[in-house]
Amino acid sequence: MRLFIALDIPAEAAAYIADVQKRLKQDVTADRWQSLANLHLTLHFLGEVDESLVPAICEDMDIVGAIIQPFTLRVGNFGVFPNALHPRVLWLGLRGQLSPLNQLHLLLGRRFELHEGLSYDRKRYRPHITMARGPHRSGDELALLDWNERYLAQEPPQWKARHFHLYRSELLPEGAVHTMIHTSTFDKDHSKKQALPE
């Protein structure tokens, strides 16, 4: 199973991001524009995972989610990987309460280390929403500061993150299909199972 863990991005913010991407296409070309149909904020990409590990991953998510309070995010500024001179990925960053977001990523990683055979990306977490791969302008650097001024709202949509999800990703000829497998709720004690009626 090809799995990843992510936060959903609500409809209002997704529509804002799609509008930014549409206007940006007038100013820059790209090898591939990111489809925004399955928009989410990735926490961990786990890749191919043995199905037997799924219950443990879900338990890890519940344990970590229980100690994180809901937090507020909003769309941030443009950025690129690895740098503006040699851009491979053009993205939008995040603003708002980033400390709990980073803590969530870190604690999940520590839990995943307990499971033999489970791999995950150990690089420093840079939360972002991919807009395009292989962006380029004829002979020019990408005008990130200019785009921040021209294409981004002073007050972009913000939202409260209350849940995060485990997704299965299937790569089909018509594109990736993501199926939600499990949801964990922030600040919820999952150990208190509802008693069955006698």
Side-chain angles (χ1 to χ4, degrees):
M1 304 176 73
R2 190 169 181 266
L3 302 179
F4 67 92
I5 296 171
L7 295 167
D8 282 347
I9 294 177
E12 182 186 2
Y16 168 81
I17 293 165
D19 181 64
V20 169
Q21 187 191 63
K22 179 181 177 182
R23 291 191 289 146
L24 188 62
K25 286 179 179 180
Q26 302 167 16
D27 206 4
V28 65
T29 56
D31 295 339
R32 182 163 65 88
W33 288 96
Q34 183 74 14
S35 168
L36 301 181
N38 294 317
L39 197 59
H40 55 263
L41 177 61
T42 301
L43 289 160
H44 280 284
F45 179 73
L46 302 177
E48 289 295 331
V49 176
D50 192 288
E51 195 168 347
S52 65
L53 285 172
V54 170
I57 294 170
C58 295
E59 183 177 7
D60 291 339
M61 291 173 61
D62 288 347
I63 289 169
V64 172
I67 61 175
I68 302 284
Q69 298 287 326
F71 53 93
T72 301
L73 296 173
R74 69 168 63 217
V75 180
N77 290 338
F78 286 107
V80 290
F81 294 138
N83 57 61
L85 287 174
H86 305 284
R88 288 201 298 267
V89 179
L90 174 65
W91 45 264
L92 282 173
L94 278 296
R95 290 188 286 167
Q97 296 176 311
L98 298 182
S99 291
L101 176 63
N102 288 318
Q103 184 185 28
L104 174 63
H105 175 269
L106 175 67
L107 294 178
L108 285 171
R110 288 181 177 171
R111 295 291 308 179
F112 296 157
E113 288 176 357
L114 303 176
H115 307 302
E116 190 174 343
L118 183 62
S119 63
Y120 65 96
D121 189 352
R122 289 171 165 80
K123 293 198 296 285
R124 183 169 75 90
Y125 185 48
R126 295 282 299 276
H128 65 278
I129 299 159
T130 298
M131 301 294 281
R133 298 182 186 278
H136 42 85
R137 302 176 82 199
S138 55
D140 293 330
E141 270 188 53
L142 300 187
L144 301 181
L145 295 178
D146 180 47
W147 295 345
N148 289 336
E149 292 289 329
R150 289 167 55 201
Y151 297 136
L152 302 183
Q154 289 284 346
E155 294 294 328
Q158 69 174 21
W159 67 94
K160 181 79 81 171
R162 302 181 187 278
H163 316 276
F164 62 114
H165 313 282
L166 176 64
Y167 284 96
R168 178 178 185 175
S169 178
E170 298 174 271
L171 300 178
L172 303 178
E174 60 271 24
V177 175
H178 300 153
T179 305
M180 191 184 298
I181 294 176
H182 179 74
T183 296
S184 291
T185 302
F186 295 127
D187 194 29
K188 177 178 178 181
D189 187 350
H190 295 270
S191 66
K192 295 177 181 175
K193 304 297 184 185
Q194 187 174 358
L196 294 174
E198 296 183 5

